[in-house]
Amino acid sequence: MAEAALRTVTPTGAEPAPEAPTGAGAASEVPAGARAASEASTGAEAASEVLVDDEFIAAGGHPTHVHDFHQFLHVPLGRIVVTALGRDHELSPSVALWIPAGIPHSARFDPDSLVVPENFDPELHRLPYSEVTSVNVSGAQRQLLLSRMRASEPTEEDPALFAALCSGHRDVLPLPRPTGRSAATVAGELMRNPGDPRTASEWAESLYTSSTSLRRAFRAETGLAFSEWRTRLRLNHSLQLLAAGHMVSTVAARVGFVSTNGYILAFRRYFGETPGAYVKRSATRTAA
C-alpha cells in the first residue's frame, strides 16, 4: 500500500466491505500456539496468488500485493479488514496491524474508512514480529500518528516513531474500545479494575439501561461479546502481573478469575500455553 495514496483514501460510493468474522470464529481469536502452523500451511497458497502493484487501490479495497518494507497500519476512522496468509485481521481506531516485509496481503475498506500507513525500511529497523500481528493502539501512539498526519511537510520514517509503535507488549490480545456512552463507561471502569466481578446485568442496572442493550453495544462497537471482551482484558492485564513476578494463583485472583484453574484454561486457550510455560519462555526470550 503506497503511503501517499493511503493517507488520503476515503472510498465513497463503494459497496460496503464484507463483514469481518467475529465471535468464536474470528481470526483474532486463534490461539497464539496455533498461528505458526496455520500460516505455514497456507503460505504456499498465498504466495501463489496473483500480486498487483502495491500502489494500486480499487474502490473499497486493495488486491493482494506485497511490500519490500515493514508497514504499520492504523485506522483512525472506520474499519478495514486485512487478509494475509489465510487469516483476516480487523482494524479499528484502537487496533492496528504490523505487516512485515515480504508477506502477501489484501485489504477491504468500509466506505468511510481513513487508513494511515507508516512504512519502515527493514534494513534499518528490526521488527519484533515475524508474522502479521494485531496490536492495541495506546492514546500516546494515536496522538503521535495523528500529529504526523497534520504535518504540512511530508514526514520521513523516524527511528523514534518506530520504537514508539513497537513499545506495546508483544503478546497482548487485540481489544477494540467501545465508543458508545454505556459500553465505553463499563470498559473504562474494567480497565481500571479488571477484577470487578459485576455482571452485564449489574453494570446495566447501574447505568439505567438494559443488559440486552449493553451486550448489543459491546457486540456492535467492538465485534466481541461482553464476556469475551472482559476475558481478553483480564488476560492482557495478567501478562503485566506475570512479568512482575507474581504467582499464578495471585494473578488469577487479582484479574477476576473465580479459580486458578479457570485462569490457566483461559490462558492456554488464547496463548497456546500455560502461564507457567509462558513465564519461562518470556524469560528465555528476554535473555536472548
Side-chain angles (χ1 to χ4, degrees):
M1 298 181 181
E3 182 170 356
L6 277 174
R7 283 192 181 280
T8 57
V9 64
T10 306
T12 57
E15 290 296 323
E19 183 177 350
T22 57
S28 60
E29 297 174 21
V30 176
R35 291 175 187 165
S38 173
E39 296 198 358
S41 64
T42 55
E45 179 181 348
S48 66
E49 294 181 21
V50 176
L51 303 181
V52 300
D53 187 327
D54 67 8
E55 295 189 4
F56 174 75
I57 301 175
H62 196 169
T64 302
H65 59 289
V66 66
H67 301 148
D68 59 4
F69 48 79
H70 301 317
Q71 186 171 74
F72 181 89
L73 280 183
H74 179 227
V75 186
L77 296 174
R79 295 174 185 269
I80 74 169
V81 176
V82 174
T83 301
L85 301 180
R87 295 180 57 219
D88 286 346
H89 305 263
E90 183 175 353
L91 281 64
S92 67
S94 58
V95 177
L97 192 70
W98 272 111
I99 306 175
I103 295 183
H105 60 282
S106 61
R108 307 192 303 273
F109 307 138
D110 279 354
D112 59 348
S113 295
L114 174 64
V115 185
V116 179
E118 294 289 350
N119 304 327
F120 300 94
D121 187 339
E123 294 186 1
L124 302 177
H125 304 283
R126 182 180 178 183
L127 188 65
Y129 309 109
S130 60
E131 59 189 58
V132 176
T133 304
S134 297
V135 294
N136 295 311
V137 180
S138 68
Q141 289 172 329
R142 185 177 298 107
Q143 291 181 8
L144 180 59
L145 291 164
L146 293 179
S147 68
R148 287 172 61 82
M149 286 184 64
R150 293 192 293 267
S152 57
E153 298 293 332
T155 51
E156 300 296 330
E157 62 180 72
D158 180 1
L161 173 66
F162 182 80
L165 297 180
C166 291
S167 63
H169 197 295
R170 66 188 300 169
D171 296 312
V172 294
L173 300 164
L175 194 69
R177 293 285 298 274
T179 55
R181 184 188 67 83
S182 297
T185 298
V186 174
E189 291 295 326
L190 286 173
M191 293 184 76
R192 283 186 283 274
N193 179 20
D196 193 312
R198 279 178 283 183
T199 64
S201 297
E202 291 170 330
W203 280 112
E205 183 178 357
S206 69
L207 295 171
Y208 304 100
T209 186
S210 70
S211 61
T212 299
S213 295
L214 181 61
R215 292 177 188 277
R216 285 176 176 171
F218 263 91
R219 175 69 73 179
E221 296 166 20
T222 70
L224 302 171
F226 168 74
S227 59
E228 170 72 11
W229 192 95
R230 184 177 60 183
T231 296
R232 289 190 180 203
L233 172 70
R234 289 174 170 177
L235 290 172
N236 283 347
H237 189 69
S238 78
L239 296 177
Q240 304 171 27
L241 298 176
L242 290 172
H246 294 285
M247 295 179 59
V248 172
S249 58
T250 301
V251 172
R254 287 184 60 176
V255 299
F257 282 89
V258 176
S259 69
T260 301
N261 188 53
Y263 167 61
I264 293 173
L265 290 175
F267 196 97
R268 179 184 291 165
R269 174 192 169 201
Y270 285 90
F271 296 115
E273 58 190 343
T274 64
Y278 172 83
V279 170
K280 292 180 181 179
R281 183 174 60 83
S282 297
T284 302
R285 185 170 63 189
T286 300

